[in-house]
Structures are given as structure tokens and as C-alpha cells.
Amino acid sequence: MRFSAIALLIAFSLTSCEKQNSPMQQEEAVQQALDPELPATPFSYSTQAFPEEWLTDPALQLFGNIGSEIEVTDAGATLGRVLFYDPSMSADGTVSCSSCHVQANAFSDSEAKSVGVSGVPTVRNAMGLFNFRYQRRFFWDMRTVGLAQQVLEPIAHPDEMALSIEEMPERLLEQPYYAPLFEAAFGSEEINSDRVASALAQFLMCMRSYSSRYDAGRSNGFANFSESERMGKDLFFNGETRCNQCHSGLNLFSTQPFVNGLEMDYAAAGDGGIGSISDDPYDDGRFKTVSLRNIGLTAPYMHDGRFATLHDVVDFYADGIQHHPYLDERLSVNGFGVPGQEPYQLSLSAEERSALVDFLNTFNDTLMTSSEWLSNPF
Ligand code: HEC
Ligand code: HEC
């Protein structure tokens, strides 16, 4: 994206210097800089699927295949890929989804707060994007239901892409490559916000992550693990740290939000999460329990990106959890039954903390982060 934005700027400045260029020539220069490079035969997005083990996993079935009503076609996801990486989707032509959701970082932002069109940083950290088949509610405060609803919000958001949804079809029409892409995806050239939302949602559905060293280890008795990674695995699952009681199952997540004790009073600290919407003290500091897949690639951490490294995260869980009236019971000394008790204190040695970090890094999926079919076509 950076490259194509720069190419666009260069194209603009070159053409505006050479006064004898006709508007037609100028337009050509811009288009040339921006044409997406797509394979002659589309990638086969529609045939990609989660492994059988995921599709039959009882816990994941319980959560439901809640995003699975989104039907992916090859042409639909191809259009979604172009839209995801296209800066012409923003008010000033400089910001795309991929400005804040970077493939190498599992589609998260390596900055704590992202900067879009307005230059005003976002309120929260841009988390990684993947495994939407198992998610229904989006954003750290889970305010938006449904992926096709979600994907239009950043386009219109004044600090993200700041393009009004009403203006969007006209804007996209300016790019000659869209007419054939919409035709292929939806049977006619018409551009409207429902189609844009559908195509983006289809592309996001193809961001699947299930192949990491951890997954390889699960099928070979963790023979591929170092001693430290094995120690970290035992700590993660041993029932004392309780990590896996919230970041659970194959997707290492929960559909439920929790208070993990970052603040004594989140609202006073500036962001109450779900509590900021419901105004109920019970929800103060309740945030989405994101998946730990790819966690080594998505620094910084937590809803506000407050922790720069996984070491900082582990130190926080070991001895930095704050008193909070609704601190989750899994993180309190009393355990189940009564939330809001004294935060637990894990007496983890330096070696154990490093081991936990080493284990968390085995969740990284370099297949997803290097797949060409998810990469920038510009
Ligand atoms: C300027 C940066 C920026 C841009 C541009 C941007 N996002 Fe985001 N995105 C964020 C931030 C920050 C969050 C978290 C916001 C929150 O939770 O309140 C987020 C959250 C999301 C989520 C929720 C994920 C989850 O697990 O709940 C999805 C999905 C998403 N973005 C998709 C997109 C798409 C699609 C586009 C392009 C149409 C896009 N984003 C453009 C910064 C950005
Ligand atoms: C009570 C449930 C719960 C338990 C137990 C728990 N977590 Fe979390 N975890 C959460 C929630 C909720 C968040 C998001 C909090 C926020 O951003 O405000 C989170 C965030 C994280 C993040 C940052 C994710 C990101 O993308 O920024 C990491 C890493 C993490 N937890 C690791 C662990 C580890 C390691 C353990 C065990 C020592 C653990 N968690 C135990 C609920 C839990």
C-alpha cells in the first residue's frame, strides 16, 4: 500500500510538473501506478477450508460457525482483496485497510494506536484479523454484530478512511479496474455499499490461521518443541496460570469478554470497554478475549497497545493484575464462585516467564502471513 500511495503521489507530481500533458495522459499515469496485478485465473478462495479437526471440534461447534453464512466465491474474494488494499477507498486516497492491518503482522498494526486520514490516532490498538468463521461480534468492545456490518465502519470513520458510504460507489467508479471486478463477483457492474461489504467480508473470511509450530506439535507429541517451549506449554495449561481457561480451544480465544485486571477503574483510566457502552459497572473493563494465534506477530498488546512485548504481558499476569470489583474469578486467589477477589500472584521464575513467552511464540502462523492470495495486489 505504502508503495502504491507513493507511486500515486509521484505520478501526480510528475504529471502536474509537465504542463503539456493532457488530462487524459495524467489519468493514465495515475491508473498505471494503481492497477492491481491479479492472476489470470483467480485464486481458488472458495475451496479453501479449515481442517476437518476444526470443522468437527465440539467446542467450536458450540460457538457455532457463526460467520459461516458468508458464502465465499473466487471472484468475490478477489474483489475484496483489491478493496482491502486500495487507498482510493479513503477520503484523500492515502489510506487502505492494509495501512492499519498489515499481513506480516497477522493483519494487525505494529503501532499501539493507528493513524488514518485525519492524523488523529485511533482510540484503540488494531488487532489481528483472522478466523472470522468463529466470530460474531467485533471490536474490542464487541459493539458490532456481523462481519458485513463491521467492514463498512472503518471506511466511514473520520479517523480511519473518512469516506462517506454514499460517496464510495462514485469514488470506486473512477478506477477503471472495478467495473469488471464487480461484474465478475456479482453479475453486473453496479457498485453499491452492500456489494463492497460482501466482497470485503468474503476476503476477510479467507484469513484463516491454523498452521503454526504449535499445531505441528499437537500432531507429533511436541517433538518439534524446545525444552523451554515445552515448559511454557505446561505452564499455559497447568490450571494455575489459567491462561487456557479464557484463551481456549483450537482457536485459543473466547466468545465471552472478561475483565483481566489491567486497571482498578477502567472508565476513570479513559476506556471502560463494554462498560463505556452499557454504563453498567459490571461491564467496566470488559473487553473482547482475542485469539492468541499469531500473538508473537501482533505486538503491542491489549486493547490500548500498552505492552510492547510478550514479556511485559507475562509479567503483568504474573504479578501486575489490579484489584477490580469484577476481576474475573480465574485471575483471583479465590478462584471460581466470587469474582473481584484479590488478584492471584503467580510466583513465576525468570526462566518460567521466558518459557511462557517462548510457548506463546509457537502460535505464529507464517503460512497466513506469507500467502500470496492474501497479499497486496497493487
Ligand atoms: C486507521 C487505521 C485502520 C484502518 C484504515 C482500518 N482499521 Fe480495522 N481496526 C482498526 C482499529 C484501531 C481497530 C480496533 C478498534 C476498536 O476495537 O474499537 C480495528 C478493528 C477491526 C476489526 C475487528 C476485529 C475483531 O477481532 O473484532 C475488523 C474486522 C477490521 N478492523 C477490519 C478492517 C477493514 C475491512 C478495513 C478497511 C475497510 C479496516 N479495518 C480499516 C484500525 C483500522
Ligand atoms: C479471565 C480470562 C483471562 C485469563 C485467565 C487470561 N487472559 Fe489473556 N486476555 C483476556 C482478555 C479479556 C484480554 C484483552 C484485555 C484487554 O485488552 O483489555 C486478554 C489479552 C491477552 C493478551 C493480549 C492480546 C492482544 O492481542 O493484544 C495476551 C498475550 C494474553 N492475554 C495472554 C494471556 C496469558 C499468557 C494468560 C495466562 C498467564 C492469560 N492471557 C490469561 C482474558 C484472559
Side-chain angles (χ1 to χ4, degrees):
M1 181 328 269
R2 286 270 143 75
F3 172 75
S4 54
I6 289 166
L8 174 70
L9 287 178
I10 292 172
F12 263 126
S13 46
L14 282 181
T15 48
S16 55
C17 291
E18 292 169 28
K19 288 207 177 73
Q20 60 273 52
N21 269 3
S22 70
M24 190 81 138
Q25 281 169 312
Q26 291 182 20
E27 215 169 83
E28 260 168 41
V30 172
Q31 283 164 14
Q32 216 168 11
L34 266 180
D35 258 354
E37 228 175 84
L38 297 169
T41 313
F43 292 115
S44 50
Y45 293 100
S46 57
T47 57
Q48 296 171 8
F50 279 97
E52 199 51 30
E53 185 192 14
W54 284 64
L55 298 174
T56 55
D57 180 73
L60 288 178
Q61 301 321 299
L62 201 68
F63 296 138
N65 297 321
I66 35 198
S68 62
E69 74 280 5
I70 296 169
E71 200 200 322
V72 175
T73 64
D74 296 347
T78 298
L79 169 60
R81 176 178 174 220
V82 174
L83 292 167
F84 187 86
Y85 285 99
D86 193 345
S88 42
M89 290 268 280
S90 61
D92 64 358
T94 63
V95 176
S96 69
C97 308
S98 67
S99 307
C100 306
H101 298 286
V102 179
Q103 185 182 16
N105 302 118
F107 297 102
S108 72
D109 195 341
S110 57
E111 300 293 329
K113 306 285 167 69
S114 306
V115 177
V117 166
S118 68
V120 176
T122 53
V123 175
R124 300 191 177 122
N125 177 245
M127 64 277 265
L129 306 180
F130 48 86
N131 295 355
F132 292 112
R133 183 179 181 122
Y134 302 105
Q135 298 183 54
R136 200 165 107 88
R137 293 189 158 271
F138 300 100
F139 295 119
W140 283 103
D141 53 14
M142 301 174 85
R143 63 186 179 272
T144 299
V145 177
L147 196 54
Q149 277 64 48
Q150 193 285 333
V151 293
L152 293 178
E153 291 191 34
I155 301 173
H157 194 294
D159 296 324
E160 297 186 17
M161 297 155 89
L163 184 64
S164 87
I165 299 299
E166 293 74 48
E167 263 175 56
M168 178 176 60
E170 208 173 310
R171 174 64 73 90
L172 295 184
L173 266 176
E174 288 167 17
Q175 307 299 340
Y177 45 82
Y178 276 121
L181 288 171
F182 275 87
E183 162 102 53
F186 298 108
S188 76
E189 290 182 1
E190 188 192 338
I191 299 180
N192 62 45
S193 57
D194 283 350
R195 288 180 168 191
V196 168
S198 164
L200 277 169
Q202 289 183 49
F203 180 61
L204 262 60
M205 286 296 282
C206 298
M207 298 169 176
R208 296 187 184 85
S209 185
Y210 46 76
S211 105
S212 62
R213 290 191 52 244
Y214 170 66
D215 298 289
R218 289 176 56 255
S219 53
N220 70 15
F222 297 98
N224 59 337
F225 269 28
S226 69
E227 206 169 305
S228 175
E229 288 165 346
R230 248 176 259 144
M231 178 195 270
K233 175 174 75 66
D234 293 342
L235 288 164
F236 189 86
F237 290 106
N238 71 3
E240 205 175 310
T241 61
R242 303 182 189 149
C243 308
N244 72 317
Q245 295 180 19
C246 291
H247 304 281
S248 319
L250 282 174
N251 196 34
L252 302 158
F253 79 138
S254 171
T255 53
Q256 298 303 307
F258 295 110
V259 178
N260 73 342
L262 293 167
E263 303 285 352
M264 293 164 87
D265 182 340
Y266 286 76
D271 190 349
I274 295 175
S276 296
I277 301 172
S278 71
D279 227 8
D280 182 342
Y282 170 81
D283 291 329
D284 177 59
R286 218 165 276 282
F287 283 92
K288 180 167 181 170
T289 310
V290 288
S291 169
L292 295 188
R293 287 192 169 268
N294 298 305
I295 197 70
L297 306 173
T298 66
Y301 301 106
M302 303 299 170
H303 64 271
D304 53 3
R306 68 177 60 196
F307 297 129
T309 67
L310 285 174
H311 266 286
D312 297 339
V313 172
V314 168
D315 286 344
F316 156 73
Y317 278 110
D319 49 32
I321 298 176
Q322 304 293 301
H323 291 252
H324 183 286
Y326 294 101
L327 174 67
D328 191 83
E329 49 209 6
R330 295 165 190 81
L331 297 169
S332 74
V333 286
N334 290 34
F336 282 93
V338 198
Q341 299 294 302
E342 197 70 14
Y344 72 17
Q345 298 280 331
L346 300 174
S347 44
L348 296 180
S349 66
E351 190 190 12
E352 288 170 322
R353 292 177 195 215
S354 295
L356 205 41
V357 171
D358 288 347
F359 174 61
L360 292 172
N361 273 310
T362 70
F363 296 149
N364 301 346
D365 177 353
T366 47
L367 187 67
M368 185 185 83
T369 57
S370 60
S371 299
E372 201 190 340
W373 63 85
L374 298 177
S375 69
N376 190 348
F378 287 101

Coordinates of all heavy atoms in Angstrom, one line a residue, residues 125-128 140 235-236 240-247 254 256-262 266 285-293 295 298-307 309-310 313-314 316-318 321 327-331 344 346 348 356 360, ligand 2:
N125 N -5.9 -0.2 19.9 CA -5.0 -0.9 19.0 C -5.7 -1.7 18.0 O -6.7 -2.3 18.2 CB -4.1 -1.8 20.0 CG -3.1 -2.6 19.2 OD1 -3.2 -3.8 19.1 ND2 -2.2 -2.0 18.5
A126 N -5.1 -1.7 16.8 CA -5.7 -2.5 15.7 C -5.3 -4.0 15.9 O -4.1 -4.3 15.7 CB -5.3 -2.0 14.3
M127 N -6.2 -4.8 16.2 CA -5.9 -6.2 16.5 C -5.7 -7.0 15.2 O -6.0 -6.5 14.1 CB -7.0 -6.9 17.3 CG -8.3 -7.0 16.7 SD -9.3 -5.5 16.8 CE -10.3 -5.8 18.2
G128 N -5.2 -8.2 15.3 CA -5.0 -9.1 14.1 C -6.4 -9.5 13.5 O -7.4 -9.4 14.2
W140 N -12.9 -4.3 20.1 CA -12.5 -4.6 21.5 C -13.7 -4.6 22.4 O -13.8 -5.3 23.4 CB -11.5 -3.7 22.0 CG -10.1 -4.0 21.4 CD1 -9.4 -3.3 20.4 CD2 -9.2 -5.0 21.8 NE1 -8.2 -3.9 20.2 CE2 -8.0 -4.9 21.0 CE3 -9.3 -6.0 22.8 CZ2 -6.9 -5.8 21.2 CZ3 -8.2 -6.9 22.9 CH2 -7.0 -6.8 22.1
L235 N 3.0 -24.7 31.6 CA 2.5 -23.5 32.4 C 1.2 -23.0 31.9 O 0.3 -22.7 32.7 CB 3.6 -22.4 32.4 CG 4.8 -22.7 33.2 CD1 5.9 -21.7 32.8 CD2 4.5 -22.5 34.7
F236 N 1.1 -22.9 30.6 CA -0.2 -22.4 29.9 C -1.4 -23.2 30.3 O -2.5 -22.7 30.5 CB 0.1 -22.3 28.4 CG -1.0 -21.6 27.7 CD1 -0.9 -20.2 27.5 CD2 -2.1 -22.3 27.1 CE1 -1.9 -19.5 26.8 CE2 -3.1 -21.6 26.4 CZ -3.0 -20.2 26.2
E240 N -2.9 -23.4 36.9 CA -2.5 -22.4 37.9 C -2.5 -21.0 37.2 O -3.0 -20.1 37.8 CB -1.1 -22.8 38.4 CG -0.9 -22.2 39.8 CD 0.5 -22.7 40.3 OE1 0.7 -24.0 40.2 OE2 1.3 -21.9 40.7
T241 N -2.0 -21.0 36.0 CA -2.0 -19.7 35.3 C -3.3 -19.4 34.7 O -3.7 -18.3 34.5 CB -1.0 -19.7 34.1 OG1 -1.3 -20.7 33.2 CG2 0.4 -19.9 34.6
R242 N -4.1 -20.5 34.4 CA -5.4 -20.4 33.9 C -5.5 -19.7 32.5 O -6.6 -19.3 32.1 CB -6.4 -19.8 34.9 CG -6.3 -20.5 36.2 CD -7.3 -20.0 37.3 NE -7.0 -20.6 38.6 CZ -7.2 -20.0 39.8 NH1 -7.6 -18.8 39.8 NH2 -6.9 -20.7 40.9
C243 N -4.4 -19.6 31.9 CA -4.4 -18.9 30.5 C -5.4 -19.6 29.6 O -6.2 -18.9 29.0 CB -3.0 -19.0 29.9 SG -1.6 -18.4 30.9
N244 N -5.4 -20.9 29.6 CA -6.2 -21.7 28.6 C -7.7 -21.7 29.0 O -8.5 -22.2 28.3 CB -5.7 -23.1 28.5 CG -6.0 -24.0 29.7 OD1 -5.8 -23.5 30.8 ND2 -6.4 -25.2 29.5
Q245 N -8.0 -21.2 30.2 CA -9.4 -21.2 30.6 C -10.1 -20.0 30.0 O -11.4 -19.9 30.0 CB -9.6 -21.2 32.1 CG -9.0 -22.5 32.8 CD -9.2 -22.5 34.3 OE1 -9.9 -21.7 34.9 NE2 -8.4 -23.4 34.9
C246 N -9.4 -19.0 29.5 CA -10.0 -17.9 28.7 C -9.6 -17.9 27.3 O -10.4 -17.8 26.4 CB -9.7 -16.6 29.3 SG -10.4 -16.3 31.0
H247 N -8.3 -18.2 27.0 CA -7.8 -18.3 25.6 C -7.9 -19.8 25.3 O -6.9 -20.5 25.4 CB -6.4 -17.7 25.5 CG -6.3 -16.3 26.0 ND1 -6.7 -15.2 25.2 CD2 -5.8 -15.7 27.1 CE1 -6.4 -14.1 25.9 NE2 -5.9 -14.4 27.1
S254 N -12.0 -16.8 23.4 CA -13.3 -17.0 24.0 C -14.3 -16.1 23.3 O -14.0 -15.0 22.9 CB -13.3 -16.7 25.5 OG -14.7 -16.7 26.0
Q256 N -16.7 -14.9 25.0 CA -17.1 -14.1 26.1 C -16.0 -13.0 26.4 O -14.8 -13.3 26.3 CB -17.3 -14.9 27.3 CG -18.4 -16.0 27.2 CD -19.7 -15.4 26.9 OE1 -20.2 -14.5 27.5 NE2 -20.3 -15.9 25.8
P257 N -16.5 -11.8 26.7 CA -15.5 -10.8 27.2 C -15.2 -11.0 28.6 O -16.1 -11.5 29.4 CB -16.3 -9.5 26.9 CG -17.7 -9.9 27.1 CD -17.8 -11.3 26.7
F258 N -14.0 -10.6 29.1 CA -13.7 -10.7 30.5 C -13.0 -9.4 31.0 O -12.4 -8.7 30.2 CB -12.7 -11.9 30.7 CG -13.3 -13.2 30.4 CD1 -12.9 -13.9 29.3 CD2 -14.3 -13.7 31.2 CE1 -13.4 -15.2 29.0 CE2 -14.9 -15.0 30.9 CZ -14.4 -15.7 29.8
V259 N -12.9 -9.3 32.3 CA -12.1 -8.2 32.9 C -10.8 -8.9 33.4 O -10.8 -9.8 34.2 CB -12.8 -7.6 34.2 CG1 -11.9 -6.6 34.8 CG2 -14.1 -7.0 33.8
N260 N -9.7 -8.6 32.7 CA -8.4 -9.2 33.1 C -7.5 -8.4 34.0 O -6.4 -8.7 34.2 CB -7.7 -9.8 31.9 CG -7.0 -8.7 31.1 OD1 -7.4 -7.5 31.2 ND2 -6.1 -9.1 30.2
G261 N -8.1 -7.3 34.6 CA -7.4 -6.6 35.7 C -6.2 -5.7 35.2 O -5.3 -5.5 36.0
L262 N -6.4 -5.0 34.1 CA -5.4 -4.0 33.7 C -5.5 -2.7 34.5 O -4.5 -2.0 34.7 CB -5.5 -3.7 32.2 CG -5.2 -4.8 31.2 CD1 -5.7 -4.4 29.8 CD2 -3.7 -5.1 31.2
Y266 N -11.4 1.2 35.0 CA -11.1 1.5 33.6 C -11.7 2.8 33.1 O -11.1 3.5 32.3 CB -11.6 0.3 32.7 CG -10.9 -1.0 32.7 CD1 -11.0 -1.8 33.8 CD2 -10.1 -1.4 31.7 CE1 -10.3 -3.1 33.9 CE2 -9.4 -2.6 31.7 CZ -9.5 -3.4 32.8 OH -8.9 -4.6 32.8
G285 N -14.3 -2.3 32.0 CA -13.1 -3.1 31.7 C -13.3 -4.4 31.1 O -12.3 -5.2 30.9
R286 N -14.5 -4.7 30.7 CA -14.8 -6.0 30.0 C -14.4 -5.8 28.5 O -15.0 -4.9 27.8 CB -16.3 -6.3 30.1 CG -16.6 -7.8 30.3 CD -18.0 -8.0 30.8 NE -18.0 -7.9 32.3 CZ -17.6 -8.8 33.1 NH1 -17.2 -10.0 32.7 NH2 -17.7 -8.6 34.4
F287 N -13.5 -6.6 28.0 CA -13.0 -6.5 26.6 C -13.0 -7.8 26.0 O -13.0 -8.9 26.6 CB -11.6 -5.9 26.6 CG -11.5 -4.4 26.8 CD1 -11.3 -3.9 28.1 CD2 -11.6 -3.5 25.8 CE1 -11.2 -2.5 28.3 CE2 -11.5 -2.2 26.0 CZ -11.3 -1.7 27.3
K288 N -13.0 -7.8 24.6 CA -13.0 -9.0 23.8 C -11.8 -9.9 24.2 O -10.7 -9.4 24.3 CB -13.0 -8.6 22.3 CG -12.9 -9.8 21.4 CD -13.2 -9.3 19.9 CE -13.2 -10.5 19.0 NZ -13.7 -10.1 17.6
T289 N -12.0 -11.2 24.3 CA -10.9 -12.1 24.6 C -10.4 -12.6 23.3 O -10.9 -13.6 22.7 CB -11.4 -13.3 25.5 OG1 -12.1 -12.8 26.6 CG2 -10.2 -14.1 26.0
V290 N -9.4 -11.9 22.8 CA -8.9 -12.2 21.4 C -8.2 -13.5 21.4 O -7.7 -13.9 22.4 CB -8.1 -11.0 20.9 CG1 -8.9 -9.8 20.6 CG2 -7.0 -10.7 21.9
S291 N -8.1 -14.0 20.2 CA -7.3 -15.3 20.0 C -5.8 -15.0 20.2 O -5.3 -13.9 19.9 CB -7.5 -15.8 18.6 OG -6.6 -16.8 18.3
L292 N -5.1 -16.0 20.8 CA -3.7 -15.9 20.9 C -2.9 -16.4 19.7 O -1.7 -16.4 19.7 CB -3.2 -16.5 22.2 CG -3.7 -15.9 23.5 CD1 -3.0 -16.6 24.7 CD2 -3.5 -14.4 23.6
R293 N -3.6 -16.9 18.7 CA -3.0 -17.3 17.5 C -2.2 -16.1 16.9 O -2.7 -14.9 17.0 CB -3.9 -17.8 16.5 CG -4.4 -19.2 16.9 CD -5.1 -20.0 15.8 NE -5.3 -21.4 16.3 CZ -4.4 -22.4 16.0 NH1 -3.4 -22.1 15.2 NH2 -4.5 -23.5 16.6
I295 N 0.2 -14.5 18.1 CA 0.4 -13.4 19.1 C 1.8 -12.9 19.0 O 2.0 -11.7 19.3 CB 0.0 -13.9 20.5 CG1 -0.2 -12.8 21.5 CG2 1.0 -14.9 21.1 CD1 -1.4 -11.9 21.2
T298 N 1.8 -9.8 16.6 CA 0.8 -8.7 16.7 C 1.1 -7.7 17.8 O 0.2 -7.0 18.2 CB -0.6 -9.2 16.9 OG1 -0.7 -9.9 18.2 CG2 -1.0 -10.2 15.8
A299 N 2.4 -7.6 18.3 CA 2.7 -6.5 19.3 C 2.4 -5.2 18.7 O 2.4 -5.0 17.5 CB 4.2 -6.6 19.6
P300 N 2.1 -4.2 19.6 CA 1.9 -4.3 21.0 C 0.6 -4.8 21.4 O -0.3 -5.1 20.6 CB 2.1 -2.8 21.4 CG 1.5 -2.0 20.3 CD 1.9 -2.8 19.0
Y301 N 0.4 -5.0 22.8 CA -0.7 -5.8 23.3 C -1.7 -5.1 24.1 O -1.4 -4.1 24.7 CB 0.0 -7.0 24.1 CG 0.9 -7.8 23.2 CD1 2.3 -7.7 23.3 CD2 0.3 -8.6 22.2 CE1 3.1 -8.5 22.5 CE2 1.2 -9.3 21.3 CZ 2.5 -9.2 21.5 OH 3.3 -9.9 20.6
M302 N -2.8 -5.7 24.2 CA -4.0 -5.3 24.9 C -4.8 -4.2 24.1 O -4.3 -3.7 23.1 CB -3.7 -4.8 26.4 CG -3.0 -5.8 27.2 SD -4.0 -7.3 27.5 CE -2.8 -8.4 28.3
H303 N -6.0 -3.9 24.6 CA -6.9 -3.0 23.7 C -6.2 -1.7 23.4 O -6.6 -1.1 22.4 CB -8.2 -2.8 24.4 CG -8.1 -2.1 25.7 ND1 -7.9 -2.7 26.9 CD2 -8.2 -0.7 26.0 CE1 -7.8 -1.8 27.9 NE2 -8.0 -0.6 27.4
D304 N -5.3 -1.2 24.3 CA -4.7 0.1 24.0 C -3.2 -0.1 23.6 O -2.5 0.9 23.6 CB -4.8 1.0 25.3 CG -4.3 0.3 26.5 OD1 -3.8 -0.8 26.4 OD2 -4.5 0.9 27.6
G305 N -2.8 -1.3 23.4 CA -1.4 -1.5 23.0 C -0.4 -1.1 24.1 O 0.7 -0.7 23.8
R306 N -0.8 -1.2 25.3 CA 0.1 -0.7 26.4 C 1.4 -1.5 26.7 O 2.3 -1.0 27.2 CB -0.7 -0.7 27.7 CG -1.1 -2.1 28.3 CD -1.8 -1.9 29.6 NE -3.0 -1.2 29.5 CZ -3.7 -0.7 30.5 NH1 -3.2 -0.8 31.8 NH2 -4.8 0.0 30.3
F307 N 1.3 -2.8 26.3 CA 2.5 -3.6 26.5 C 3.3 -3.9 25.2 O 2.7 -4.3 24.2 CB 2.2 -5.0 27.1 CG 1.5 -4.9 28.4 CD1 0.3 -5.6 28.7 CD2 2.1 -4.2 29.5 CE1 -0.3 -5.5 30.0 CE2 1.5 -4.1 30.7 CZ 0.3 -4.8 31.0
T309 N 5.9 -5.9 24.6 CA 6.4 -7.2 24.3 C 5.6 -8.3 25.1 O 4.8 -8.0 26.0 CB 7.8 -7.4 24.8 OG1 7.9 -7.3 26.2 CG2 8.7 -6.3 24.2
L310 N 5.7 -9.5 24.6 CA 5.0 -10.6 25.4 C 5.6 -10.8 26.8 O 4.9 -11.3 27.7 CB 5.2 -11.9 24.6 CG 4.2 -12.0 23.3 CD1 4.5 -13.2 22.5 CD2 2.8 -12.0 23.8
V313 N 3.6 -8.7 28.9 CA 2.3 -9.3 29.1 C 2.4 -10.4 30.2 O 1.6 -10.4 31.2 CB 1.7 -10.0 27.9 CG1 0.5 -10.8 28.2 CG2 1.4 -8.9 26.8
V314 N 3.4 -11.2 30.1 CA 3.6 -12.3 31.1 C 3.9 -11.7 32.5 O 3.3 -12.2 33.5 CB 4.7 -13.3 30.7 CG1 5.0 -14.3 31.8 CG2 4.2 -14.1 29.4
F316 N 2.8 -8.9 33.6 CA 1.6 -8.4 34.1 C 0.7 -9.5 34.7 O 0.2 -9.4 35.8 CB 0.8 -7.7 32.9 CG -0.7 -7.7 33.1 CD1 -1.2 -6.8 34.1 CD2 -1.6 -8.5 32.5 CE1 -2.6 -6.8 34.3 CE2 -2.9 -8.5 32.7 CZ -3.5 -7.7 33.6
Y317 N 0.6 -10.6 34.0 CA -0.3 -11.7 34.5 C 0.4 -12.3 35.8 O -0.3 -12.8 36.7 CB -0.5 -12.8 33.5 CG -1.6 -12.5 32.5 CD1 -1.4 -12.2 31.2 CD2 -3.0 -12.5 32.9 CE1 -2.4 -11.9 30.3 CE2 -4.0 -12.2 32.1 CZ -3.7 -11.9 30.7 OH -4.7 -11.7 29.9
A318 N 1.7 -12.3 35.8 CA 2.4 -12.9 37.0 C 2.2 -12.1 38.3 O 1.9 -12.6 39.3 CB 3.9 -13.1 36.7
I321 N -1.6 -7.8 38.1 CA -3.0 -7.6 37.9 C -3.6 -6.7 39.0 O -3.1 -6.8 40.2 CB -3.7 -9.0 38.0 CG1 -3.2 -9.9 36.8 CG2 -5.2 -8.9 38.0 CD1 -3.7 -11.3 36.8
L327 N -13.0 -8.2 38.6 CA -11.9 -9.0 38.1 C -12.4 -10.4 37.9 O -13.0 -11.0 38.8 CB -10.7 -9.0 39.1 CG -9.5 -9.9 38.7 CD1 -8.9 -9.4 37.4 CD2 -8.5 -9.9 39.9
D328 N -12.1 -11.1 36.8 CA -12.6 -12.4 36.6 C -12.1 -13.4 37.6 O -10.9 -13.3 38.0 CB -12.2 -12.9 35.2 CG -13.0 -14.2 34.8 OD1 -14.1 -14.1 34.4 OD2 -12.4 -15.3 35.1
E329 N -12.9 -14.3 38.0 CA -12.6 -15.2 39.1 C -11.4 -16.1 38.7 O -10.7 -16.6 39.6 CB -13.8 -16.1 39.4 CG -14.4 -16.7 38.2 CD -16.0 -16.9 38.3 OE1 -16.5 -16.5 39.3 OE2 -16.5 -17.5 37.4
R330 N -11.1 -16.3 37.5 CA -10.0 -17.1 37.1 C -8.7 -16.4 37.4 O -7.6 -17.1 37.5 CB -10.0 -17.4 35.6 CG -11.2 -18.3 35.1 CD -11.3 -18.2 33.6 NE -12.5 -18.8 33.1 CZ -13.7 -18.2 33.1 NH1 -13.8 -17.0 33.6 NH2 -14.7 -18.8 32.7
L331 N -8.7 -15.1 37.6 CA -7.5 -14.4 37.9 C -7.4 -13.9 39.3 O -6.6 -13.1 39.7 CB -7.4 -13.2 36.9 CG -7.3 -13.5 35.5 CD1 -7.5 -12.3 34.6 CD2 -6.0 -14.2 35.1
Y344 N -4.6 -13.0 41.8 CA -3.7 -14.0 42.0 C -2.3 -13.5 41.8 O -2.0 -12.6 41.1 CB -4.0 -15.3 41.3 CG -3.8 -15.4 39.8 CD1 -3.0 -14.5 39.1 CD2 -4.3 -16.5 39.0 CE1 -2.8 -14.6 37.7 CE2 -4.1 -16.6 37.7 CZ -3.3 -15.7 37.0 OH -3.1 -15.8 35.7
L346 N 1.2 -15.2 40.6 CA 1.9 -16.4 40.2 C 3.4 -16.2 40.5 O 4.0 -15.2 40.2 CB 1.8 -16.5 38.6 CG 0.4 -16.6 38.1 CD1 0.4 -16.6 36.5 CD2 -0.3 -17.9 38.5
L348 N 6.2 -16.9 39.3 CA 6.9 -17.5 38.2 C 8.3 -17.0 38.2 O 8.6 -15.8 38.4 CB 6.2 -17.1 36.9 CG 4.8 -17.5 36.6 CD1 4.3 -17.0 35.3 CD2 4.7 -19.0 36.6
L356 N 7.1 -19.3 29.0 CA 5.8 -19.0 28.6 C 5.8 -18.1 27.4 O 5.0 -18.3 26.4 CB 5.0 -18.2 29.8 CG 3.5 -18.2 29.9 CD1 2.9 -19.6 29.6 CD2 3.1 -17.8 31.3
L360 N 4.2 -19.0 23.7 CA 3.3 -18.1 23.0 C 3.7 -17.9 21.6 O 2.9 -17.8 20.7 CB 3.1 -16.8 23.8 CG 2.4 -16.9 25.1 CD1 2.5 -15.5 25.9 CD2 0.9 -17.3 25.0
Ligands
HEC2 C1 -10.2 -14.2 32.8 C2 -9.8 -14.6 31.4 C3 -8.3 -14.5 31.0 C4 -7.3 -15.2 31.5 C5 -7.3 -16.2 32.6 C6 -6.1 -14.9 30.7 N1 -6.5 -13.9 29.8 FE1 -5.3 -13.1 28.5 N2 -6.7 -11.7 27.9 C7 -8.0 -11.7 28.4 C8 -8.7 -10.6 27.9 C9 -10.1 -10.2 28.2 C10 -7.8 -9.9 27.1 C11 -8.0 -8.5 26.5 C12 -7.9 -7.5 27.6 C13 -7.8 -6.0 27.1 O1 -7.2 -5.7 26.1 O2 -8.3 -5.1 27.9 C14 -6.5 -10.6 27.2 C15 -5.4 -10.3 26.5 C16 -4.2 -11.1 26.4 C17 -3.1 -10.8 25.5 C18 -3.0 -9.7 24.5 C19 -3.8 -10.0 23.3 C20 -3.6 -8.9 22.2 O3 -3.8 -9.2 21.0 O4 -3.3 -7.8 22.5 C21 -2.2 -11.8 25.7 C22 -0.9 -12.0 25.0 C23 -2.8 -12.7 26.8 N3 -4.0 -12.2 27.1 C24 -2.1 -13.8 27.3 C25 -2.6 -14.5 28.4 C26 -1.7 -15.4 29.1 C27 -0.3 -15.8 28.8 C28 -2.5 -15.8 30.2 C29 -2.1 -16.7 31.4 C30 -1.0 -16.2 32.1 C31 -3.8 -15.2 30.1 N4 -3.8 -14.3 29.0 C32 -4.9 -15.4 30.9 C33 -8.6 -12.7 29.2 C34 -7.8 -13.6 29.9

